[in-house]
């Protein structure tokens, strides 16, 4: 009985061994058949794309690509007869194979055995060939999906993110004067706010662009916009200048990823004949963001009555309300992005065929239903996916602590981003990267430099006119008089004020020099840019004023009393209309780009990207010479509008060219690097052009025109991408 049982056990064990060997051979045969069918399909699709025929040879009977549909796709011959006691699940952790293990255990399930003997160079060569085939096939699939409701929905969602980027650029300049006054920022630290925001945007553009090529466009955009919204909202409540700089730094870091990710995302759901036009229309949202920021600043910031305080330690003025309102486009884009899918082109690039197919089917069905053709079937069944080259990265999952694993993961991702960035300088995109670097730098330097120079020149003209209208009073002798009105833009010299009362007054840009105040009372006084230089105060009382010690320059106070002195910087002038003028100028300058946006969108696919890029930059450089005739505020505003209207076409065409010149696996990384370079050039332009305000016009005009013309000539040397598929 025991021998019979042993013989039966041996027989069963031998049968299991035979079944396992049969399954292994079946897996190899199935994989070879699938590879042959897939290669045959991609060759047929490529030939059809080259001939540009519209017949039905591209599709096989039954709507399948190269292989017959299987009703039992959910099961596989490789899993029949599965023995739970002897087999290991495909997804189960099997450990890192050592030298003693067989070669079969080192090959992933379902992978062709021949890939084991290929070196990395051969795998990369095969992947490049797969990517080229995928580019041709994907273009045909997007054309089958059509252009309709899905693209327009994504257009507005990504437009809100791009609008938030435009708001972030403008909000710095609008908030800067009020924030500096509210937080008592000295002149030595006043430039940090603008520079630190651009620094954050520069680092963020490079980081989020690289991350978008690693984890996906949608996920990267969601995270970076959430970071921007959180810190922008937080910055409106903080009181200290250091913490405020910290919040604006991370706010800029978050929004820095918007531009490279948005354009990469949207370009990958557009067909070739639609790409240039609709990417140009998308650029209009940046202009809308500038108009929105200018209008909100115009309506909110000058209304200093929109404020409240909690004691003397917490002040919430109108500019903080403006910061909150400017965060609304960012919040809206985050909410809307949660309902949008990932880019199918990115998913195919990383080998996620099924997820990409489902999204492409969603795009097709959404557009067909909108057209009134819900019965039209998505006929694509299989899409070519590039071979995936995986690298083994050891993370101490057993012995390492959680923060150690987190550190290794972050280091690995950063290293992957750096490797992707370095591939932007490999053949065949190396020359394009160098040329794009020159064009992005020159355009950013000239545009942002003059954009800062224009408002500063207008302010300089205003200050000169204001100083020209100053009133001088000499040798005044006033006694037993009650001052209860506003004094503005005045200089009082060698005056004597005896037994006078200054009650409920506002001093704005008033200076007292070499004057005597004896037995006087200052009560409920608010001052701005008001100083007492070399004055003498005798038996004078100060009650509820903001006249702090630093406003008495080289003055002598004898037997004087101070009660309830308001410390800190005060924003309290309801009749300060100078801010209205600055916001209105920026509003007009932003609105002036509307005609350029419309022209570039309509002509982008007709005259070509290169013609528009080079022509716009050259014309912008020539227009700089008209600044010689800008001797008044109205003429400078006209020059500003002309300059902005000409340069916007160059920006739009440069955005389109950049996304079309880079392949999918490094598109967002390359765009992010160039956008980071743009912010660095903007900071450099701000410093150089800002230092020349009020000194000379010759250097800014010659410098801006030279860099713009040179950049336009380099742009004409870029390859024309109008007829290319998205590689």
């Amino acid at each position: 009985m025991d021998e019979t049982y042993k013989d039966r056990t041996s027989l069963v064990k031998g049968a299991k061994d035979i079944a396992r060997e049969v399954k292994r051979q079946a897996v190899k045969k199935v994989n070879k058949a699938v590879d042959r069918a897939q290669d045959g399909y991609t060759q047929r699709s490529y030939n059809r794309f080259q001939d540009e025929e519209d017949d039905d040879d591209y599709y096989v009977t039954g709507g399948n690509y190269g292989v017959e549909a299987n009703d039992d796709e959910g099961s596989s011959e490789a899993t029949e007869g599965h023995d739970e006691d002897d087999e290991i699940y495909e997804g189960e952790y099997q450990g890192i194979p050592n030298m003693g293990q067989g070669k079969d255990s080192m090959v992933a399930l379902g992978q062709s055995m021949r890939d084991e003997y290929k070196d990395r160079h051969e795998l990369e060569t095969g992947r490049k060939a797969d990517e080229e085939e995928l580019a041709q096939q994907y273009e045909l699939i997007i054309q089958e999906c059509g252009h309709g409701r899905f693209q327009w929905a994504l257009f507005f969602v990504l437009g809100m993110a791009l609008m938030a980027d435009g708001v972030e650029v403008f909000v710095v300049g609008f908030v800067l004067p009020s924030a500096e006054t509210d937080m008592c920022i000295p002149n030595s630290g006043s430039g940090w706010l603008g520079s630190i925001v651009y620094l954050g945007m520069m680092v963020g553009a490079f980081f989020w662009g690289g991350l978008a090529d690693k984890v996906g466009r949608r996920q990267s955009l969601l995270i970076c916009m959430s970071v921007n919204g959180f810190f922008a909202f937080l910055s409106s409540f903080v009181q200290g200048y250091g913490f405020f700089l910290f919040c604006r730094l991370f706010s800029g870091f978050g929004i820095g990823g918007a531009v490279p990710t948005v354009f990469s995302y949207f370009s990958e759901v557009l067909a070739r004949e639609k790409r240039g036009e609709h990417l140009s229309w998308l650029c209009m949202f940046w202009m809308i963001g500038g108009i929105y920021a200018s209008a909100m600043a115009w309506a909110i910031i000058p209304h200093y009555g929109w404020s409240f305080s909690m004691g003397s330690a917490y002040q919430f003025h109108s500019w903080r309300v403006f910061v909150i309102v400017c965060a609304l486009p960012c919040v809206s884009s985050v909410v809307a992005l949660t309902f949008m899918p990932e880019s199918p082109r990115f998913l195919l690039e990383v080998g996620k065929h099924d997820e990409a197919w489902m999204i492409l089917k969603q795009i097709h069905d959404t557009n067909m239903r909108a057209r009134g053709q819900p019965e039209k079937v998505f006929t694509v069944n299989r899409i070519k996916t590039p071979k995936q080259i995986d690298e083994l990265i050891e993370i101490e999952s057993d012995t390492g602590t959680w923060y150690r694993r987190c550190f290794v993961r972050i280091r690995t991702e950063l290293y992957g981003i750096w490797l992707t960035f370095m591939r932007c300088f490999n053949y065949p995109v190396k020359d394009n990267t160098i040329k794009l670097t020159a064009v992005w730098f020159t355009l950013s330097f000239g545009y942002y430099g003059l954009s800062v120079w224009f408002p500063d020149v207008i302010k300089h003209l205003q200050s000169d006119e204001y100083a020209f209208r100053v009133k001088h009073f000499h040798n005044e002798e006033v006694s037993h008089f009650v001052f209860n009105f506003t004094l503005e833009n005045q200089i009082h010299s060698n005056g004597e004020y005896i037994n006078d009362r200054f009650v409920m007054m506002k001093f704005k840009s008033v200076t007292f020099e070499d004057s005597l105040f004896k037995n006087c009372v200052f009560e409920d006084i608010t001052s701005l840019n008001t100083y007492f230089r070399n004055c003498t105060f005798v038996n004078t009382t100060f009650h509820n004023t903001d006249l702090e010690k630093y406003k008495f320059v080289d003055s002598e106070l004898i037997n004087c009393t101070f009660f309830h002195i308001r410390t800190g910087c005060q924003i309290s002038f309801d009749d300060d209309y100078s801010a209205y003028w600055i916001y209105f100028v920026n509003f007009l300058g932003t609105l002036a780009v509307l005609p350029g946006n419309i022209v570039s969108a309509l002509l982008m696919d007709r005259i070509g990207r290169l013609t528009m890029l080079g022509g716009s930059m050259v014309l912008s450089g020539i227009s700089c010479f008209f600044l010689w005739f800008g001797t008044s505020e109205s003429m400078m505003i006209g020059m500003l509008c002309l300059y902005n209207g000409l340069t916007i076409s160059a920006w739009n065409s440069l955005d389109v060219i950049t996304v079309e010149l880079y392949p999918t696996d490094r598109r967002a990384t390359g765009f992010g690097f160039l956008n980071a370079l743009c912010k660095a050039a903007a900071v450099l332009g701000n410093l150089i052009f800002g230092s020349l305000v009020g000194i000379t016009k010759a250097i800014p005009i010659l410098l801006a025109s030279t860099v713009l013309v040179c950049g336009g000539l380099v742009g004409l040397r870029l390859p024309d991408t109008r007829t290319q598929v998205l590689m």
Side-chain angles (χ1 to χ4, degrees):
M1 186 68 178
D2 294 338
E3 294 179 356
T4 302
Y5 178 75
K6 291 180 180 179
D7 293 339
R8 184 178 300 174
T9 303
S10 300
L11 182 61
V12 171
K13 185 175 181 180
K16 288 183 179 180
D17 294 338
I18 294 173
R20 281 195 293 269
E21 183 65 25
V22 170
K23 286 189 291 182
R24 186 179 294 108
Q25 298 297 326
V27 169
K28 294 168 60 178
K29 291 180 180 179
V30 169
N31 287 332
K32 291 180 179 179
V34 170
D35 289 342
R36 286 195 299 269
Q38 191 177 44
D39 294 340
Y41 157 69
T42 53
Q43 182 63 33
R44 288 196 301 274
S45 64
Y46 179 77
N47 293 335
R48 176 189 179 277
F49 184 82
Q50 291 294 104
D51 297 336
E52 295 185 355
E53 296 178 354
D54 295 327
D55 52 19
D56 296 329
D57 294 338
Y58 180 70
Y59 303 98
V60 262
T61 305
N64 298 329
Y65 286 89
V67 292
E68 295 182 358
N70 184 8
D71 295 334
D72 297 325
E73 289 180 352
S75 62
S76 173
E77 293 179 2
T79 59
E80 292 182 1
H82 178 74
D83 191 342
E84 297 181 355
D85 296 332
D86 296 333
E87 299 293 335
I88 299 178
Y89 289 114
E90 179 183 348
E92 185 176 350
Y93 173 71
Q94 303 180 33
I96 299 176
N98 54 35
M99 296 301 295
Q101 291 177 309
K103 292 182 178 180
D104 292 342
S105 63
M106 299 176 66
V107 181
L109 183 62
Q111 184 180 9
S112 179
M113 289 288 293
R114 62 179 179 272
D115 287 346
E116 179 184 1
Y117 303 100
K118 290 184 178 179
D119 58 16
R120 186 176 183 85
H121 177 72
E122 292 176 342
L123 289 176
E124 291 179 350
T125 303
R127 177 178 172 84
K128 290 179 180 178
D130 292 343
E131 289 174 344
E132 293 177 358
E133 295 176 4
L134 172 61
Q136 312 295 338
Q137 182 187 0
Y138 187 80
E139 177 66 27
L140 296 174
I141 295 174
I142 287 295
Q143 290 178 2
E144 179 183 344
C145 293
H147 188 92
R149 178 179 294 174
F150 178 87
Q151 280 84 358
W152 284 111
L154 186 62
F155 172 79
F156 286 105
V157 172
L158 298 180
M160 294 299 294
L162 199 60
M163 179 180 172
D165 180 82
V167 169
E168 186 74 18
V169 172
F170 282 90
V171 74
V172 175
F174 294 156
V175 164
L176 190 58
S178 300
E180 290 175 352
T181 303
D182 190 17
M183 297 182 178
C184 303
I185 303 171
N187 294 331
S188 59
S190 60
W192 277 103
L193 180 57
S195 300
I196 202 131
V197 172
Y198 276 100
L199 176 63
M201 296 175 74
M202 179 176 63
V203 178
F206 182 80
F207 175 77
W208 298 113
L211 193 66
D213 284 332
K214 300 286 289 183
V215 303
R217 284 75 164 105
R218 174 182 175 272
Q219 186 172 353
S220 176
L221 189 59
L222 267 174
I223 298 174
C224 75
M225 297 303 294
S226 300
V227 171
N228 170 252
F230 174 77
F231 283 100
F233 184 80
L234 183 63
S235 67
S236 65
F237 293 96
V238 299
Q239 293 292 304
Y241 186 52
F243 197 17
F244 183 76
L245 286 178
F246 174 82
C247 291
R248 297 314 302 185
L249 171 66
F250 276 88
S251 176
F253 173 74
I255 201 62
V259 173
T261 310
V262 162
F263 282 100
S264 300
Y265 193 172
F266 195 51
S267 65
E268 293 169 355
V269 296
L270 295 173
R272 179 182 56 187
E273 63 272 9
K274 299 284 187 181
R275 194 161 52 239
E277 177 184 353
H278 287 271
L279 285 176
S280 298
W281 288 123
L282 184 66
C283 294
M284 291 188 63
F285 280 94
W286 198 92
M287 175 203 70
I288 295 173
I291 294 176
Y292 174 81
S294 302
M296 292 299 101
W298 192 10
I300 296 175
I301 295 180
H303 294 280
Y304 301 120
W306 295 15
S307 62
F308 65 90
S309 60
M310 299 174 61
S312 60
Y314 189 85
Q315 303 286 332
F316 194 91
H317 294 292
S318 57
W319 68 268
R320 299 180 183 272
V321 178
F322 168 71
V323 172
I324 294 178
V325 172
C326 286
L328 295 180
C330 177
V331 176
S332 302
S333 66
V334 170
V335 174
L337 271 172
T338 58
F339 299 96
M340 304 306 297
E342 181 57 82
S343 166
R345 185 68 177 85
F346 168 79
L347 294 175
L348 290 171
E349 193 71 26
V350 297
K352 297 182 179 180
H353 173 277
D354 295 343
E355 296 180 30
W357 185 89
M358 291 295 295
I359 295 174
L360 289 170
K361 184 178 184 301
Q362 176 188 352
I363 297 174
H364 175 275
D365 295 346
T366 301
N367 292 338
M368 292 305 110
R369 284 195 301 267
R371 294 180 181 179
Q373 300 174 335
E375 71 282 355
K376 197 167 184 179
V377 179
F378 184 55
T379 58
V380 178
N381 185 50
R382 190 171 182 84
I383 309 172
K384 183 71 175 180
T385 54
K387 292 182 175 62
Q388 302 302 306
I389 304 176
D390 298 327
E391 295 182 356
L392 181 62
I393 300 172
E394 183 178 357
I395 299 179
E396 301 175 2
S397 57
D398 294 333
T399 60
T401 58
W402 66 269
Y403 55 85
R404 173 65 179 172
R405 294 194 299 270
C406 183
F407 171 76
V408 173
R409 181 63 181 270
I410 293 175
R411 184 183 63 185
T412 303
E413 292 295 338
L414 292 177
Y415 182 67
I417 292 173
W418 177 255
L419 290 180
T420 306
F421 166 67
M422 295 304 297
R423 291 173 59 206
C424 294
F425 292 90
N426 294 340
Y427 179 83
V429 297
K430 177 181 178 180
D431 292 340
N432 295 336
T433 300
I434 295 174
K435 294 175 184 177
L436 285 172
T437 299
V439 177
W440 274 87
F441 184 86
T442 54
L443 181 58
S444 303
F445 181 82
Y447 175 79
Y448 285 103
L450 283 184
S451 296
V452 171
W453 187 72
F454 273 116
D456 287 345
V457 169
I458 294 175
K459 291 180 182 178
H460 184 71
L461 293 174
Q462 288 180 336
S463 61
D464 289 345
E465 182 182 358
Y466 190 77
F468 180 76
R469 293 187 287 108
V470 65
K471 297 180 181 179
H472 293 269
F473 299 89
H474 300 280
N475 301 318
E476 286 184 311
E477 294 184 4
V478 183
S479 62
H480 298 90
F481 186 80
V482 177
F483 293 87
N484 57 0
F485 45 85
T486 299
L487 298 181
E488 180 179 359
N489 197 19
Q490 298 178 3
I491 297 178
H492 298 260
S493 303
N494 298 313
E496 292 186 3
Y497 305 91
I498 311 299
N499 294 318
D500 293 326
R501 294 177 58 87
F502 299 84
V503 182
M504 301 291 292
M505 288 192 61
K506 296 178 180 179
F507 293 92
K508 182 178 180 181
S509 300
V510 178
T511 301
F512 292 90
E513 298 176 345
D514 302 315
S515 299
L516 172 65
F517 296 85
K518 186 176 182 180
N519 298 326
C520 294
V521 175
F522 289 83
E523 185 175 0
D524 297 327
I525 302 297
T526 302
S527 62
L528 180 66
N529 294 329
T530 297
Y531 300 95
F532 299 88
R533 302 182 186 277
N534 197 26
C535 295
T536 303
F537 294 83
V538 180
N539 296 326
T540 300
T541 302
F542 298 88
H543 183 269
N544 193 26
T545 69
D546 60 357
L547 300 177
E548 299 184 63
K549 298 293 185 181
Y550 73 91
K551 295 187 177 183
F552 300 93
V553 181
D554 297 329
S555 297
E556 184 179 5
L557 287 80
I558 302 173
N559 197 23
C560 296
T561 308
F562 291 85
F563 297 99
H564 304 292
I565 301 301
R566 297 195 301 270
T567 59
C569 303
Q570 307 296 323
I571 303 179
S572 58
F573 288 107
D574 298 329
D575 55 348
D576 184 10
Y577 292 102
S578 60
Y580 284 102
W581 183 248
I582 299 299
Y583 305 143
F584 182 67
V585 169
N586 284 274
F587 177 81
L588 291 179
T590 309
L591 190 63
V593 307
L594 179 60
N597 264 312
I598 297 175
V599 171
S600 62
L602 296 178
L603 300 181
M604 186 68 69
D605 291 319
R606 297 182 182 180
I607 67 174
R609 291 91 159 107
L610 300 184
T611 304
M612 184 167 295
L613 173 63
S616 176
M617 292 186 67
V618 171
L619 289 177
S620 299
I622 295 175
S623 69
C624 293
F625 287 98
F626 290 100
L627 296 176
W628 287 107
F629 308 101
T631 56
S632 64
E633 295 180 21
S634 58
M635 294 185 67
M636 292 300 298
I637 293 173
M639 296 298 104
L640 173 64
C641 295
L642 175 64
Y643 178 74
N644 288 350
L646 290 174
T647 53
I648 192 61
S649 297
W651 281 114
N652 293 356
S653 55
L654 187 58
D655 291 335
V656 175
I657 291 173
T658 302
V659 297
E660 292 179 337
L661 284 179
Y662 284 105
T664 303
D665 61 345
R666 68 201 89 165
R667 178 172 297 119
T669 302
F671 205 126
F673 160 69
L674 295 171
N675 199 251
L677 184 70
C678 165
K679 299 303 184 290
V683 173
L684 183 62
N686 291 347
L687 294 176
I688 294 178
F689 284 83
S691 62
L692 299 174
V693 174
I695 300 177
T696 178
K697 285 185 179 180
I699 296 179
I701 292 173
L702 294 176
L703 187 60
S705 60
T706 301
V707 297
L708 289 173
V709 172
C710 292
L713 296 178
V714 174
L716 292 174
R717 304 292 298 174
L718 289 167
D720 190 6
T721 58
R722 183 171 28 165
T723 59
Q724 293 182 4
V725 297
L726 200 64
M727 298 302 296

